[in-house]
Amino acid sequence: MIFSTAYPEIFILLCLALAWFLTRLLYRTSDAFDNLSRLQLWSMKGLRFAVLFLMTFLLLSPVIKLKKRVKNKPLILVLQDNSSSMLNHPDSVKIRSALDSLKDQLTSELSGVADLKWYAFSDSVQKETSPDYKGNLSNYSDAIQTVAGQHAYEKPAAMLVIGDGIYNAGQNPVNLVKTLGYPVYSVLEGDTTLHSDLRISRVRANPTAFPGKAFPVEVEISGQGLQPGQNRISITQNGRVVGQRIIRITGPSVFLQESFRVKSDKPGLQHYKIQVNPVAGEQNIANNTRILTIDVLNNQRKILILAGAPHPDIGALTDALESDPQFRVVVAPFAHFEDYSPQKFNLLIFYQLPGTGGAGISHLKRFIDSRTSRWFILGAKSSISAFNKLNTGMKIVGGNEQLADVQMKINPGFGLFHPDIRLNEWLGTQMPLVVPEGKTEVEPFMETMFYQTGKNDENPALVMGEQKGIKKAILAGEGIWKWRISAMSVDGNEGLFNDWIVNTARYLALKRNEDQFNVHFNRMVLANETVRFSATLFNAIYEPVRNSAVTLDLTDDAGKLFHYVFTEGDDGYELDAGHLTPGSYHFSAIAKVGTDSLKESGDFEVMATQTEMLETRANQQVMKAMAEYSGGKAYYASQLAQLFPNMKKLLQSKSERTEEVVMMDAIRYEFVLFLLVILLAIEWFLRRYWGSY
């Protein structure tokens, strides 16, 4: 027993003394006790003392510690496939009724001996949700991993998976169940009949293109249960055929790859229907058609590279910039500077210009005097003295035109954009650049992205900023082609190399009036994905604006209007519009900056997913393998009479008895109240019986 007071021994003694004093006082002041024998008197005194002691003792607020043995039901995790393929059957109403009946049977048979936790899954996992079988994807591995992780500390007895085994997202679930530590029981559903089916299994195309420029489209066609013959595949846009071909079916199963080149002269989101004709006896014709949406851009940004002489850095720059479809790069050699007008480009790159023995400031004057953004890259052929006179925001002094090999590192305080977090570690493994020696002086409006390492530690190497409405960047160093070779041969991709170049060009090539209010969004969103917007807002001097009212009106292709309000985040404003039905949408966003209203608009497409219709035959092998490799067993829905006894036998071996400790205030304990009432009742009865009053 536990007390809430600091010195329970003293209070117990006081309770005893107080109870004894009150008992003595009560029985001494009454003449009604004179006729009682000594035994009778002491009996009633004892009862009264016990009552008074208990009442005063309860003032200590004692807590009673009780131990209770509890029989715990074993936990069974039940996962039910909620994707649309579960109802892919000629009699879908009957199948749905059978699935509902299956859940009722499981609950009726097992809920008395187990704690059932129900989950429905498709492209996401929902707890205690009644399945509607409208899911667009089947991700078995994610569902198993998510549910198992949520109950990792509860030691489940088993997992029961109800589904057709058709997974079209995530990894093979068989590899995952081996690590669970408890058996998986499978209940096989779905249609296993092999029907004739010719389908478009995959379409590959770049999501963006440019007006008048053909882009490739690759189509994969597969099928089974076929008769030899011919078929036709076609690509149409608004009913107009833009490509077609005859395909030959030579056996019962087929896998073909067909390539097309498609061109659009109209910018914006363009929709193409890719279709193969159904074959005889085909029941699932939904997978004969795929809709391809391409974003034909009309705002390609042009970059002019001015080069005094050929250099491998120029090729590396060009390849990196053109990895982003929004950029088109033109390289102008020294003899052809006069052929280009700076006003027709969004960004000028001066590669090692002004030069030491070639192109000087006089040759570059009309480019330098323009208001086009510019990026200077310095190297061994650069005239540092001529460069220092250009008022670029950076100067290199005291170097006497000498060169040094220097490695680079990221400035953690750089804030114009967010480089990849892996870039700094990657830079530390790269070959050094050839850098003009000397102390680098940078104007306050320029921000440093790369610092030199070594003896010139903290000497800026890549800086950028904006001066009088003109954006500028300077990279003091040549040899970036070695970084690209390293990215290709060692890392296996050029992502990190391209990242900093493309981001720098994006910053420089975007015009200021476009930057003040920008709404970022995906032009193409799948129906099972949430539609999200983010916005950046700046005032006239390019300072971030906080606490502004940013709203967005969204209109679907039927003219229905939706109104949203952005919420402020760490890097601007954010909006989650949730899931939208497939179709075309137009938005108009408005932001308030003082008394000004800034507007931004755009279009995007929510595309229906056809993944569940690509494969409609139940995959029993996956369901059986999950059970076999985890120590469980697979059953057909008609074999539940065998499942229940086996599950109950397992549950009996897994049931446990645990001991629970319950802390309860003694004054709330019913037995204490009952004891007080009994003692008072006995005393009252004895008084009446012995005639004391």
Side-chain angles (χ1 to χ4, degrees):
M1 186 173 293
I2 302 172
F3 301 92
S4 59
T5 181
Y7 301 100
E9 300 86 355
I10 297 175
F11 278 87
I12 290 174
L13 291 174
L14 289 176
C15 290
L16 289 170
L18 181 60
W20 177 248
F21 172 75
L22 293 174
T23 303
R24 294 267 302 174
L25 181 64
L26 174 65
Y27 280 85
R28 288 184 62 182
T29 56
S30 176
D31 297 333
F33 305 112
D34 294 341
N35 298 327
L36 299 177
S37 67
R38 190 176 186 84
L39 177 61
Q40 293 172 337
L41 181 61
W42 277 101
S43 297
M44 287 193 294
K45 281 184 178 182
L47 290 169
R48 179 55 60 89
F49 172 79
V51 171
L52 292 173
F53 174 74
L54 281 174
M55 294 178 67
T56 54
F57 179 70
L58 291 175
L59 295 175
L60 295 175
S61 300
V63 177
I64 298 176
K65 182 179 181 181
L66 300 176
K67 292 184 178 180
K68 183 168 62 173
R69 295 185 66 83
V70 179
K71 183 178 180 180
N72 294 321
K73 292 182 181 180
L75 174 63
I76 295 182
L77 306 174
V78 185
L79 280 68
Q80 186 164 0
D81 190 343
N82 191 32
S83 62
S84 59
S85 66
M86 292 286 285
L87 300 183
N88 282 337
H89 193 276
D91 193 351
S92 60
V93 175
K94 181 180 178 181
I95 294 297
R96 179 157 192 163
S97 176
L99 289 170
D100 293 340
S101 175
L102 171 61
K103 182 174 182 179
D104 294 338
Q105 284 182 270
L106 288 170
T107 303
S108 174
E109 290 286 342
L110 299 179
S111 60
V113 293
D115 182 15
L116 301 178
K117 298 288 187 182
W118 286 86
Y119 293 87
F121 71 93
S122 54
D123 46 348
S124 62
V125 182
Q126 304 291 329
K127 184 178 181 182
E128 303 292 345
T129 301
S130 298
D132 57 11
Y133 307 108
K134 294 182 179 180
N136 296 309
L137 293 172
S138 298
N139 195 335
Y140 277 69
S141 59
D142 176 68
I144 292 172
Q145 193 168 23
T146 299
V147 174
Q150 291 177 358
H151 298 276
Y153 296 103
E154 300 179 57
K155 297 181 179 179
M159 179 180 288
L160 185 63
V161 180
I162 305 168
D164 55 18
I166 302 173
Y167 70 93
N168 40 48
Q171 61 177 308
N172 190 330
V174 177
N175 301 325
L176 188 61
V177 298
K178 300 176 184 178
T179 63
L180 291 180
Y182 46 85
V184 174
Y185 289 82
S186 302
V187 177
L188 282 62
E189 292 285 354
D191 186 8
T192 59
T193 307
L194 179 61
H195 299 285
S196 297
D197 187 26
L198 183 66
R199 59 185 175 272
I200 298 174
S201 54
R202 188 175 184 182
V203 176
R204 284 194 291 257
N206 195 318
T208 57
F210 297 96
K213 186 176 181 181
F215 58 90
V217 177
E218 295 183 359
V219 184
E220 292 182 2
I221 305 164
S222 59
Q224 70 275 331
L226 306 175
Q227 296 293 328
Q230 293 184 343
N231 205 304
R232 182 185 299 273
I233 178 173
S234 61
I235 302 179
T236 59
Q237 183 184 32
N238 299 324
R240 181 175 61 90
V241 177
V242 296
Q244 62 179 337
R245 193 164 299 157
I246 297 296
I247 59 175
R248 298 188 180 277
I249 301 173
T250 58
S253 61
V254 66
F255 179 80
L256 301 171
Q257 291 181 305
E258 299 291 338
S259 297
F260 298 86
R261 292 192 68 82
V262 181
K263 183 171 66 174
S264 176
D265 296 324
K266 183 180 179 182
L269 292 173
Q270 304 298 319
H271 308 287
Y272 299 89
K273 179 189 286 187
I274 307 173
Q275 188 172 24
V276 293
N277 295 335
V279 298
E282 188 168 7
Q283 294 188 1
N284 177 26
I285 62 173
N287 58 13
N288 291 57
T289 303
R290 294 289 289 271
I291 302 298
L292 173 65
T293 302
I294 299 294
D295 187 7
V296 181
L297 305 175
N298 62 351
N299 60 342
Q300 193 174 29
R301 301 181 187 279
K302 296 181 179 180
I303 299 176
L304 179 65
I305 300 179
L306 299 163
H311 195 283
D313 278 357
I314 298 172
L317 270 173
T318 302
D319 289 340
L321 292 168
E322 290 187 340
S323 69
D324 190 324
Q326 71 172 303
F327 293 130
R328 179 187 170 196
V329 180
V330 176
V331 178
F334 173 58
H336 293 275
F337 284 2
E338 296 298 323
D339 297 343
Y340 299 97
S341 171
Q343 288 76 22
K344 294 183 178 181
F345 293 88
N346 302 96
L347 173 62
L348 305 174
I349 297 180
F350 298 84
Y351 187 78
Q352 299 202 44
L353 296 175
T356 53
I361 293 179
S362 60
H363 302 92
L364 304 172
K365 188 175 188 310
R366 62 193 186 92
F367 295 99
I368 294 172
D369 291 344
S370 72
R371 296 192 58 80
T372 306
S373 299
R374 66 280 316 267
W375 184 359
F376 292 89
I377 299 178
L378 308 180
K381 298 291 182 66
S382 298
S383 171
I384 302 303
S385 58
F387 168 77
N388 287 341
K389 299 176 182 178
L390 296 180
N391 190 27
T392 61
M394 171 177 159
K395 292 182 179 180
I396 300 176
V397 297
N400 297 320
E401 306 283 341
Q402 299 299 310
L403 302 171
D405 293 338
V406 177
Q407 285 188 298
M408 303 293 166
K409 66 178 181 179
I410 285 283
N411 171 22
F414 180 74
L416 293 179
F417 51 83
H418 299 292
D420 193 301
I421 59 174
R422 301 168 296 169
L423 184 59
N424 192 51
E425 182 180 354
W426 182 80
L427 286 174
T429 65
Q430 300 309 303
M431 296 286 289
L433 300 184
V434 177
V435 176
E437 276 195 341
K439 180 175 176 54
T440 303
E441 297 179 353
V442 178
E443 296 289 341
F445 63 85
M446 302 292 274
E447 283 200 36
T448 300
M449 181 176 173
F450 289 175
Y451 279 116
Q452 300 178 21
T453 61
K455 67 177 183 179
N456 290 323
D457 202 21
E458 304 303 322
N459 213 26
L462 173 60
V463 299
M464 61 193 76
E466 185 174 352
Q467 182 184 31
K468 297 181 179 179
I470 302 175
K471 292 182 178 179
K472 304 176 181 180
I474 301 98
L475 171 62
E478 69 167 278
I480 59 173
W481 65 273
K482 301 175 186 176
W483 292 3
R484 180 171 180 267
I485 295 297
S486 173
M488 294 173 62
S489 60
V490 179
D491 305 321
N493 69 77
E494 304 167 57
L496 288 173
F497 175 77
N498 293 345
D499 177 74
W500 68 273
I501 294 177
V502 169
N503 283 337
T504 301
R506 283 176 181 168
Y507 165 74
L508 296 170
L510 286 174
K511 293 183 180 179
R512 190 178 153 83
N513 60 353
E514 294 174 332
D515 285 345
Q516 194 170 350
F517 178 45
N518 260 333
V519 177
H520 309 281
F521 64 100
N522 289 328
R523 295 268 286 172
M524 291 174 284
V525 184
L526 292 176
N528 61 303
E529 299 174 340
T530 56
V531 178
R532 291 186 173 90
F533 299 87
S534 63
T536 53
L537 183 61
F538 301 92
N539 58 19
I541 59 172
Y542 211 67
E543 295 173 331
V545 176
R546 300 293 185 184
N547 303 317
S548 178
V550 183
T551 60
L552 182 142
D553 288 332
L554 187 65
T555 308
D556 64 13
D557 45 14
K560 187 176 181 180
L561 179 66
F562 304 88
H563 184 73
Y564 300 93
V565 177
F566 282 81
T567 58
E568 189 172 355
D570 294 335
D571 298 318
Y573 298 84
E574 300 172 351
L575 170 62
D576 186 343
H579 293 275
L580 299 177
T581 56
S584 301
Y585 292 84
H586 174 80
F587 75 85
S588 178
I590 299 177
K592 294 284 187 180
V593 180
T595 58
D596 297 331
S597 292
L598 303 178
K599 296 183 180 181
E600 182 87 341
S601 61
D603 300 279
F604 64 94
E605 182 85 10
V606 177
M607 300 178 293
T609 55
Q610 299 172 294
T611 310
E612 281 295 300
M613 302 306 297
L614 294 179
E615 180 63 59
T616 59
R617 187 187 180 199
N619 192 342
Q620 294 184 355
Q621 289 75 20
V622 167
M623 300 293 286
K624 291 178 180 179
M626 281 197 299
E628 178 183 350
Y629 285 106
S630 65
K633 196 171 181 181
Y635 299 87
Y636 293 98
S638 59
Q639 296 177 317
L640 293 183
Q642 302 174 30
L643 168 66
F644 296 138
N646 292 339
M647 289 290 291
K648 289 178 180 179
K649 185 177 180 181
L650 171 71
L651 295 173
Q652 289 175 356
S653 65
K654 295 290 184 178
S655 61
E656 296 180 349
R657 288 185 177 272
T658 58
E659 195 174 72
E660 291 185 0
V661 177
V662 180
M663 310 295 290
M664 185 172 64
D665 292 337
I667 200 170
R668 298 179 181 273
Y669 196 41
E670 295 178 356
F671 176 76
V672 176
L673 177 62
F674 179 74
L675 180 61
L676 285 173
V677 172
I678 291 297
L679 291 175
L680 289 172
I682 293 173
E683 184 193 7
W684 176 83
F685 172 76
L686 291 178
R687 286 188 179 207
R688 297 284 295 175
Y689 182 75
W690 287 328
S692 60
Y693 59 87

